[in-house]
Amino acid sequence: MLILGLETSCDETGVAVYDSERGLLAHRLYSQIAVHAEYGGVVPELASRDHVRKALPLIHEALAEAGHTVQDLEGIAYTQGPGLVGALLVGASLGRSLAWGLSIPAVGVHHMEGHLLAPMLEENRPDFPFVALLVSGGHTQLVHVAGIGEYTLLGESLDDAAGEAFDKAAKMMGLPYPGGPELSKLAEQGDAKRFEFPRPMTNRPGLDFSFSGLKTAARTAIIKQAVDGVLAEQTKADISACFQAAVVDTLAIKCKRALKQTGLKNLVIAGGVGANKLLRQQLTEMTRKLGGQVFYPRAEFCTDNGAMIAYAGCQRLLAGQSTDLSLSVVPRWPMTELSAINAIELTSNQDQDFKKGSV
């Protein structure tokens, strides 16, 4: 089954062509970082307008690379939520219109389910069940995953998500937008032992997170170390290293606790922060000591992308699921509300009975 995936939940336009038998054939991504940099954050209206401008050209490019035309498509997958409502509507409108015009089914995909399943795009993929750490600018969650759509929330951030905390700490130090990756890059040059930052909520039972206190600790260090309101470059690097170490330690401690609590060995890490080198290193070492393994997508599929939406949508379309013709998006959408798919339905040759036109 040949699927077109569309990702427009925030400020990146992602398009991918995925085949259920041959795998990922092509993908394109347009980032709006330059558009929003002067504002220091995403401007929703500008994001929506750029999706309108970029989506169709990217679709044509991806199809050309895959060696297919629009008429070859057998299904459309688009991000239905959560995300910015205007940005979501661009992808949903385009996805629904294409499906209607081609008389093929379309399915709205949960953005975070796309992230969770992104490791399935790799050759080394996890078996169900596993524990997933979904960690990005908008989400920090630990989830027990029994199968596609079978999700039990184990813990989540009670305030800032980890990626959001990275961005805010970077902004306090005057680092360029987007701040999180810049902070991680600067941390490589810093002394991670110079400042004592807390590991929030690790000294109490449970799997929830909180990063607001850590953010306050960083602000205090910045104020104390600044001379006439200016931080020395090495001090910025040291604060970045200490902040990153505190976030990574906190995430690793909670992941280890989740694996022991569930009795599972394997861990999936997904979301933008999942590309962090230190986090990958610590989680790899931790799971190995527990006799398990950590799985994550390649770095380019950690951030928002069309490939993860195409894959997740393909699995649901193969299972006979589709979204009705009404144009609706869900800006706030708990992943635990999703319907389950039997793991047996994940095999790549299940599309032979899927008839084109069964919208």
Side-chain angles (χ1 to χ4, degrees), residues 186-231:
L186 190 57
E188 295 178 4
Q189 307 168 28
D191 178 3
K193 296 182 179 179
R194 179 176 171 184
F195 301 100
E196 288 288 339
F197 286 167
R199 274 56 175 167
M201 297 184 70
T202 57
N203 60 350
R204 65 181 74 175
L207 296 172
D208 287 330
F209 303 88
S210 172
F211 295 103
S212 60
L214 178 56
K215 187 178 61 180
T216 300
R219 181 185 290 112
T220 300
I222 291 168
I223 293 172
K224 286 184 177 180
Q225 295 297 318
V227 178
D228 295 327
V230 178
L231 278 178

Side-chain angles (χ1 to χ4, degrees), residues 160-170 172-173 179-180 183-184 187 191-200 211-219 221-222 235-250 276 278:
D160 292 345
E164 184 181 7
F166 267 107
D167 289 338
K168 289 182 177 179
M172 285 188 276
M173 290 187 288
L183 186 149
S184 295
D191 178 3
K193 296 182 179 179
R194 179 176 171 184
F195 301 100
E196 288 288 339
F197 286 167
R199 274 56 175 167
F211 295 103
S212 60
L214 178 56
K215 187 178 61 180
T216 300
R219 181 185 290 112
I222 291 168
T235 300
K236 285 184 182 180
D238 294 342
I239 291 175
S240 297
C242 293
F243 185 87
Q244 176 178 256
V247 172
V248 168
D249 284 349
T250 300
N276 184 280
L278 182 62

Side-chain angles (χ1 to χ4, degrees), residues 10-24:
C10 191
D11 64 333
E12 291 172 312
T13 311
V15 173
V17 180
Y18 181 85
D19 186 273
S20 57
E21 294 185 351
R22 294 179 291 162
L24 182 64

Side-chain angles (χ1 to χ4, degrees), residues 2 5 8 40 78 95 151 162 170 175 179 218 273 279 294 305 331:
L2 190 67
T8 64
Y78 61 90
Y151 309 129
L175 300 183
V273 182
L279 179 61
V294 63
N305 63 87

Side-chain angles (χ1 to χ4, degrees), residues 137-162:
H139 299 81
T140 300
Q141 298 176 329
L142 278 167
V143 182
H144 178 277
V145 181
I148 293 182
E150 299 179 71
Y151 309 129
T152 302
L153 183 63
L154 302 174
E156 62 184 338
S157 179
L158 304 179
D159 39 60
D160 292 345

Side-chain angles (χ1 to χ4, degrees), residues 5-348:
L6 304 173
E7 157 58 23
T8 64
S9 65
C10 191
D11 64 333
E12 291 172 312
T13 311
V15 173
V17 180
Y18 181 85
D19 186 273
S20 57
E21 294 185 351
R22 294 179 291 162
L24 182 64
L25 303 183
H27 69 96
R28 287 288 187 274
L29 183 69
Y30 172 75
S31 174
Q32 300 178 9
I33 287 177
V35 176
H36 303 285
E38 64 179 296
Y39 305 100
V42 177
V43 181
E45 179 63 23
L46 296 181
S48 301
R49 291 179 184 180
D50 242 26
H51 287 314
V52 172
R53 284 194 291 264
K54 297 297 182 179
L56 276 175
L58 291 177
I59 290 173
H60 291 309
E61 288 180 17
L63 284 169
E65 181 184 342
H68 286 282
T69 66
V70 173
Q71 285 70 32
D72 296 327
L73 294 173
E74 298 171 282
I76 308 287
Y78 61 90
T79 304
Q80 190 174 18
L84 302 176
V85 63
L88 289 169
L89 282 169
V90 175
S93 299
L94 182 55
R96 291 274 12 141
S97 299
L98 282 171
W100 174 263
L102 296 169
S103 296
I104 58 177
V107 64
V109 174
H110 193 290
H111 178 74
M112 294 311 294
E113 181 172 67
H115 275 303
L116 187 151
L117 297 177
M120 301 298 185
L121 292 164
E122 309 300 333
E123 290 185 9
N124 183 28
R125 57 178 66 183
D127 294 324
F128 298 107
F130 54 77
V131 170
L133 171 66
L134 302 178
V135 57
S136 65
H139 299 81
T140 300
Q141 298 176 329
L142 278 167
V143 182
H144 178 277
V145 181
I148 293 182
E150 299 179 71
Y151 309 129
T152 302
L153 183 63
L154 302 174
E156 62 184 338
S157 179
L158 304 179
D159 39 60
D160 292 345
E164 184 181 7
F166 267 107
D167 289 338
K168 289 182 177 179
K171 191 171 185 178
M172 285 188 276
M173 290 187 288
L175 300 183
Y177 173 86
E182 291 294 328
L183 186 149
S184 295
K185 187 187 303 181
L186 190 57
E188 295 178 4
Q189 307 168 28
D191 178 3
K193 296 182 179 179
R194 179 176 171 184
F195 301 100
E196 288 288 339
F197 286 167
R199 274 56 175 167
M201 297 184 70
T202 57
N203 60 350
R204 65 181 74 175
L207 296 172
D208 287 330
F209 303 88
S210 172
F211 295 103
S212 60
L214 178 56
K215 187 178 61 180
T216 300
R219 181 185 290 112
T220 300
I222 291 168
I223 293 172
K224 286 184 177 180
Q225 295 297 318
V227 178
D228 295 327
V230 178
L231 278 178
E233 290 303 311
Q234 187 56 52
T235 300
K236 285 184 182 180
D238 294 342
I239 291 175
S240 297
C242 293
F243 185 87
Q244 176 178 256
V247 172
V248 168
D249 284 349
T250 300
L251 294 172
I253 290 169
K254 295 287 185 168
C255 286
K256 181 177 181 179
R257 190 177 295 174
L259 290 172
K260 288 186 174 181
Q261 179 176 305
T262 59
L264 299 176
K265 299 292 185 183
N266 291 333
L267 175 71
V268 160
I269 176 172
V273 182
N276 184 280
K277 295 178 183 178
L278 182 62
L279 179 61
R280 289 191 175 201
Q281 177 185 334
Q282 285 198 208
L283 291 180
T284 298
E285 293 174 357
M286 181 269 290
T287 52
R288 185 172 62 246
K289 289 179 181 178
L290 293 177
Q293 189 176 352
V294 63
F295 298 85
Y296 40 75
R298 70 198 78 166
E300 64 183 320
F301 292 156
C302 286
T303 54
D304 296 349
N305 63 87
M308 68 183 191
I309 301 302
Y311 178 84
C314 183
Q315 306 315 310
R316 291 191 173 275
L317 287 169
L318 288 175
Q321 297 184 12
S322 63
T323 303
D324 62 37
L325 293 176
S326 63
L327 181 60
S328 63
V329 294
V330 192
R332 296 181 180 275
W333 190 4
M335 201 166 63
T336 51
E337 293 181 358
L338 296 176
S339 58
I341 293 179
N342 192 301
I344 296 175
E345 296 167 332
L346 286 177
T347 54
S348 62

